[in-house]
Amino acid sequence: MSEASRPTCMGIVDEAFRLERTGKPVIHLEKGELDLDTPEVVKEAAIRAIRDNRTRYSDSNGVPEFRRAVCDYYERAYGVSVAPSRVIVNSGSSPAMLELFLALLEPGDEVVLPNPGYPAYPSFVEVARGRVVWAGTREHGFAYTADVVRPHLTPRTAAVLINFPSNPVGVSVGAGALRAFSELGPLIVSDEVYHGLDFDGERPHTILEFSDDAVVVGSFSKGFAMTGWRLGYLIVPERLVDRLIRQHQYVFVGTNTFVQWAAITALEQADLIKQQIRTELRARRDHALAGLPRLGFEVTYVPRGGFYLFARQPDRERPSHAFAADLLQQAHVATTPGTEFGSDGEGYIRFSMSSPIHLIDEAMTRLAVWLAAGAGRRVAAAQSSCCGGSTATSERKDRQPEEVLS
Ligand SMILES: Cc1ncc(COP(=O)(O)O)c(C=O)c1O
């Protein structure tokens, strides 16, 4: 079975909610969203927009004032000048990516994706009848760089997808690494949905600082705690605008009008909103980083952004699905097995900082008890694995991703 068509394992997520419904005190460290509420100022702006009857169809490619606000934000945050005509708004970055690959790919065109990487990417490519080409990063200490991608390029490569701060690893990239991607040749599709959640005070960079002939995928889900509002966008090169808009207006028609008006306020307040989220996430990361190695998890790098931590299991031989499934059943701590993100994730667990500090600490305590009891090892893998099938992996080099990516 190809990597891209492997069964998706939502089993752990569903099982976590099932256990919770039966009264089990599940701690959620598996979610791709934060427990934080959308900022009040954004909620108020949405209520105002509804009262002002911003409830009709918007321009198909987005409310002009909102697209202008996206461009102003990119100018402020990164110093790049983008014409609003290049912004195409959608209901989250997920449909935006699907739309992009539908417009971009001819059958059999190849798209290079990181392994491990966000599990939905291969679906977008395959629905658009493209071919997924995996660039494994494990043997490079999970550093996804232009050098890692280059051997995978062929005359059929239509795009290279990059994602920083990354899901599931949490690494960021510096200017040099982004420039190298921009010089590879094929179109770079830069998933920047975790932008603004970079810790440690380094100024983040966008691919648009290095090339206008690249695509940015943006979203309000993560950086503004607005997952349920469903708002995202593409910034595309001029040469792709007409093709995308023709498709967009007949398939998606438009995006919720009052949500776009509310998001203008979110962008105006972006510095403050993201600063507050960053401060909270950094504290959570520090707690997890302090706790996990003491329990035998190996974390050989410091995540620089986003809200994930990718740690090697203490019990290295067990399939990560079995490890995560047993951890959930026996200690009621929900995590995501590394193989959810590709074969290079075998032996790893993704911890999401999606719960507050006191619950992260409580999860560490439960893990300590569970591991000390040896419980994780006693339960047969077959009994509890929701997807089964471990993949052979090579020994990783414990290189710091941030050393490679600067
Ligand atoms: C890397 C990455 N890109 C895109 C998305 C999709 O986000 P949305 O469709 O909510 O904008 C996610 C969600 O988890 C993600 O982790």
Side-chain angles (χ1 to χ4, degrees):
M1 184 180 298
S2 79
E3 179 66 30
S5 56
R6 70 194 186 282
T8 56
C9 183
M10 288 303 284
I12 295 248
V13 176
D14 292 344
E15 182 61 7
F17 285 107
R18 194 194 65 77
L19 286 173
E20 214 162 32
R21 280 196 302 275
T22 64
K24 299 288 187 300
V26 175
I27 298 178
H28 292 279
L29 299 183
E30 87 286 21
K31 290 187 183 173
E33 69 177 346
L34 297 173
D35 59 320
L36 306 177
D37 293 328
T38 299
E40 286 302 320
V41 67
V42 181
K43 291 192 243 177
E44 290 300 330
I47 292 165
R48 252 193 336 270
I50 292 172
R51 290 218 174 93
D52 291 346
N53 293 311
R54 309 279 196 194
T55 52
R56 302 196 171 85
Y57 287 133
S58 75
D59 284 18
S60 178
N61 48 343
V63 169
E65 290 84 347
F66 172 62
R67 288 187 286 130
R68 173 81 263 162
V70 170
C71 297
D72 290 348
Y73 176 70
Y74 265 73
E75 172 92 55
R76 234 172 40 241
Y78 306 105
V80 294
S81 171
V82 178
S85 57
R86 291 172 55 195
V87 179
I88 300 173
V89 182
N90 218 318
S91 303
S93 68
S94 302
M97 276 189 272
L98 175 63
E99 171 169 277
L100 172 71
F101 288 120
L102 284 172
L104 201 63
L105 302 182
E106 297 294 335
D109 278 355
E110 296 172 0
V111 179
V112 182
L113 301 179
N115 177 5
Y118 176 51
Y121 293 145
S123 312
F124 303 136
V125 173
E126 290 185 341
V127 168
R129 296 198 289 163
R131 206 172 83 75
V132 170
V133 175
W134 294 104
T137 61
R138 183 187 175 105
E139 63 174 303
H140 307 286
F142 294 122
Y144 182 64
T145 61
D147 285 342
V148 169
V149 165
R150 197 170 285 108
H152 299 282
L153 300 181
T154 75
R156 292 300 307 263
T157 308
V160 172
L161 192 139
I162 66 176
N163 165 227
F164 302 105
S166 72
N167 179 7
V169 182
V171 291
S172 242
V173 289
L178 274 180
R179 184 185 304 283
F181 275 118
S182 74
E183 289 168 354
L184 271 178
L187 181 77
I188 301 296
V189 177
S190 181
D191 179 342
E192 304 187 353
V193 307
Y194 291 93
H195 269 220
L197 302 183
D198 303 77
F199 315 125
D200 305 327
E202 284 167 29
R203 185 175 89 74
H205 296 277
T206 172
I207 191 70
L208 296 180
E209 288 171 58
F210 307 98
S211 171
D212 273 338
D213 197 50
V215 173
V216 161
V217 179
S219 175
F220 284 71
S221 290
K222 316 291 179 173
F224 294 93
M226 289 173 65
T227 44
W229 295 63
R230 308 309 301 135
L231 186 64
Y233 53 86
L234 297 174
I235 303 176
V236 301
E238 289 290 0
R239 67 183 171 92
L240 291 180
V241 168
D242 280 350
R243 207 187 310 172
L244 269 155
I245 286 180
R246 245 180 288 128
Q247 172 186 274
H248 183 79
Q249 64 195 3
Y250 291 119
V251 177
F252 294 92
V253 182
T255 307
N256 307 342
T257 306
F258 57 88
V259 168
Q260 296 181 62
W261 281 98
I264 295 175
T265 299
L267 286 170
E268 285 166 358
Q269 303 288 326
D271 292 348
L272 187 62
I273 293 171
K274 294 195 179 195
Q275 176 60 45
Q276 283 166 351
I277 298 178
R278 264 200 308 267
T279 304
E280 176 63 25
L281 283 180
R282 191 190 163 126
R284 293 180 184 188
R285 175 202 69 178
D286 290 347
H287 272 247
L289 260 185
L292 288 171
R294 283 203 288 265
L295 302 174
F297 286 90
E298 197 177 294
V299 191
T300 55
Y301 65 99
V302 177
R304 298 287 181 207
F307 42 86
Y308 307 114
L309 212 150
F310 209 54
R312 190 159 188 179
Q313 300 159 202
D315 182 350
R316 298 180 173 192
E317 303 311 316
R318 299 191 65 213
S320 67
H321 274 108
F323 187 92
D326 289 347
L327 178 59
L328 174 60
Q329 288 296 335
Q330 297 164 13
H332 304 141
V333 176
T335 58
T336 312
T339 41
E340 274 290 272
F341 307 95
S343 55
D344 272 20
E346 184 55 282
Y348 286 76
I349 296 293
R350 187 193 76 171
F351 291 87
S352 167
M353 302 300 109
S354 54
S355 285
I357 285 179
H358 73 278
L359 290 178
I360 291 174
D361 289 345
E362 166 65 16
M364 297 298 143
T365 307
R366 289 192 200 174
L367 265 163
V369 173
W370 183 69
L371 288 166
R377 280 152 225 227
R378 279 205 304 269
V379 178
Q383 196 184 327
S384 50
S385 165
C386 58
C387 289
S390 86
T391 327
T393 52
S394 56
E395 192 62 27
R396 69 179 285 198
K397 290 181 197 137
D398 288 333
R399 192 144 44 124
Q400 304 279 316
E402 67 271 31
E403 283 172 17
V404 187
L405 303 183
S406 59

